[in-house]
Amino acid sequence: MSYTIAGTGYALPKRVVTNGQLSEIVDTSNEWIITRTGIEERRVLTDESLTELALQAAKMAMANAKIKSTEIDLIICATIRSDTITPSLACTIAEHIGCTAPAFDVNAACVGLIYAMEIADSFMASGKAKNVLILTAEAMSKLVDWTDRSTCVLFGDGAGAVVLQPGRSRLACSMQSAANNGSILMPNTEGENSPFNKHKQDKMVVQMDGGEVYKFAVSAFAKRSEEVCAMAGIVPTEIDWILPHQANLRIIDAALKKMGVHKERALTNIHKYGNMSATSIMVLLAEEIERGRFKRGDKLLLVSFGAGLTSGALLIEY
Ligand code: UT7
């Protein structure tokens, strides 16, 4: 027994920030950002909190799944950093929706949704949970250095949610963590106020060696995807739709070329939202379900890579 997708939801900040607006803050241009990444604009939190977005997404997913909060047996939230270190965002949402099921956060950066879905699958397979609410929520605008043009133009904020119920959708999954070697790092210097600690701390912002991560991303994308296809006994060209992590259109194109898959199979929303870490694939999935893109039985590949360095691919039958 595995799961089926019973309902999805998403929520985005109201504030749209265009490439043109960023070029007034850092030395960049609309042309550079579009040609190097495919991003045209992103959403950025202003007066909303990440918790509010996650709550909106959770309510939408529960309404679409026609499920009450008291019927949920487990809540998992994929996030790098929620509004509070404790309680976890999953616990905060549980309280808001009136649910007392176990709730916890998972930090697997951009691969968080796939990790969370695998954890949910284990709980469901062992009979410990029947209805699972998975959330993804990222406030990347609070984590980037707004003076660093090599990172601040890439990211955006958002939240998503999916309700999983017993079914037979999961076909195969492959997840990995590889040596980070400093390629994506964000030191946690919050609360470094101990009088006994005299070490000078780095700035608490995302630092990334873009070129190194690019090479890792293309290779991990293709490898994890080919692994899940082999596990499920299909070839990559049999996948109906690919929902890749939205970090860079060039990464998606290069990985698909490696796999011999036509790029029309890949769905994208990077132009509107940039890279929303764990939330990118979740929002993409929810939007595409909303617009009726998939037929029952379609094979969907969710594939992601990111800080850790983590990577993962999940093949499901819609
Ligand atoms: O979700 C986590 C996973 N993250 C990723 O997967 C990101 C992977 N990496 C990438 O997507 C790409 O490496 C980037 C989009 C981050 C950078 O693209 P690139 O083609 O690798 O550019 P680059 O870093 O090699 O930089 C090329 C040039 C440099 O100038 P010089 O040294 O050639 O004079 C940079 O200083 O572009 C410059 N540059 C910019 N110019 C204008 C870097 N950022 C900008 C910018 N605007 N925003």
Side-chain angles (χ1 to χ4, degrees):
M1 180 64 75
S2 80
Y3 54 73
T4 191
I5 292 174
T8 51
Y10 63 99
L12 297 153
K14 289 183 292 299
R15 176 71 196 263
V16 175
V17 176
T18 63
N19 292 345
Q21 287 165 326
L22 287 185
S23 67
E24 292 163 18
I25 304 176
V26 286
D27 180 15
T28 189
S29 66
N30 182 39
E31 207 240 325
W32 190 96
I33 303 171
I34 289 184
T35 53
R36 297 290 179 126
T37 69
I39 302 166
E40 293 169 23
E41 56 189 40
R42 71 285 294 137
R43 300 296 181 95
V44 172
L45 285 164
T46 49
D47 3 348
E48 322 94 324
S49 68
L50 188 61
T51 303
E52 282 162 0
L53 285 193
L55 183 60
Q56 240 178 285
K59 286 181 175 169
M60 182 175 168
M62 289 191 300
N64 283 334
K66 299 184 177 57
I67 193 171
K68 293 198 289 281
S69 60
T70 47
E71 295 171 271
I72 290 168
D73 307 306
L74 176 67
I75 303 180
I76 309 172
C77 178
T79 184
I80 304 178
R81 179 174 171 270
S82 69
D83 288 332
T84 49
I85 289 177
T86 189
S88 67
L89 186 50
C91 281
T92 304
I93 299 301
E95 184 184 347
H96 279 296
I97 62 175
C99 171
T100 54
F104 56 88
D105 290 356
V106 167
N107 176 349
C110 308
V111 196
L113 174 65
I114 294 174
Y115 274 54
M117 288 179 78
E118 276 301 271
I119 298 168
D121 179 58
S122 301
F123 271 78
M124 293 170 88
S126 63
K128 292 191 179 111
K130 202 167 149 218
N131 301 313
V132 181
L133 173 64
I134 294 177
L135 306 162
T136 60
E138 301 285 24
M140 298 306 294
S141 64
K142 296 185 183 181
L143 310 179
V144 293
D145 177 352
W146 287 97
T147 64
D148 176 8
R149 68 175 183 175
S150 70
T151 51
C152 75
V153 303
L154 305 175
F155 297 99
D157 303 335
V162 57
V163 173
L164 301 181
Q165 290 185 321
R168 305 205 171 274
S169 287
R170 181 190 175 281
L171 299 178
C173 184
S174 170
M175 303 187 300
Q176 232 186 50
S177 66
N180 183 47
N181 292 329
S183 36
I184 314 184
L185 182 67
M186 198 191 133
N188 185 356
T189 59
E190 207 159 35
E192 289 288 344
N193 52 3
S194 159
F196 304 104
N197 185 351
K198 300 291 180 214
H199 294 291
K200 195 175 170 327
Q201 297 290 338
D202 282 349
K203 272 213 278 183
M204 190 174 154
V205 289
V206 173
Q207 299 157 24
M208 181 169 73
D209 180 341
E212 278 308 306
V213 180
Y214 187 101
K215 282 186 264 170
F216 161 75
V218 174
S219 150
F221 182 134
K223 271 200 195 127
R224 297 294 86 75
S225 302
E226 284 160 359
E227 283 161 7
V228 290
C229 287
M231 286 175 198
I234 64 166
V235 289
T237 47
E238 288 177 77
I239 299 166
D240 294 292
W241 298 106
I242 299 178
L243 290 94
H245 177 45
Q246 308 286 300
N248 191 327
L249 274 189
R250 291 187 296 136
I251 292 176
I252 298 171
D253 290 352
L256 292 182
K257 200 167 166 201
K258 235 173 166 354
M259 291 160 61
V261 172
H262 200 282
K263 65 180 185 186
E264 277 173 11
R265 295 288 98 202
L267 300 168
T268 58
N269 60 10
I270 186 172
H271 58 291
K272 296 189 285 184
Y273 308 132
N275 178 347
M276 296 186 289
S277 184
T279 295
S280 275
I281 296 181
M282 189 59 249
V283 171
L284 183 64
L285 180 66
E287 282 188 330
E288 295 294 346
I289 288 175
E290 194 174 47
R291 65 166 60 108
R293 172 87 69 179
F294 313 127
K295 331 184 273 307
R296 285 289 161 191
D298 273 357
K299 288 187 179 58
L300 312 185
L301 174 76
L302 280 53
V303 54
S304 194
F305 46 83
L309 297 169
T310 52
S311 60
L314 173 62
L315 191 63
I316 54 180
E317 197 167 71
Y318 184 65

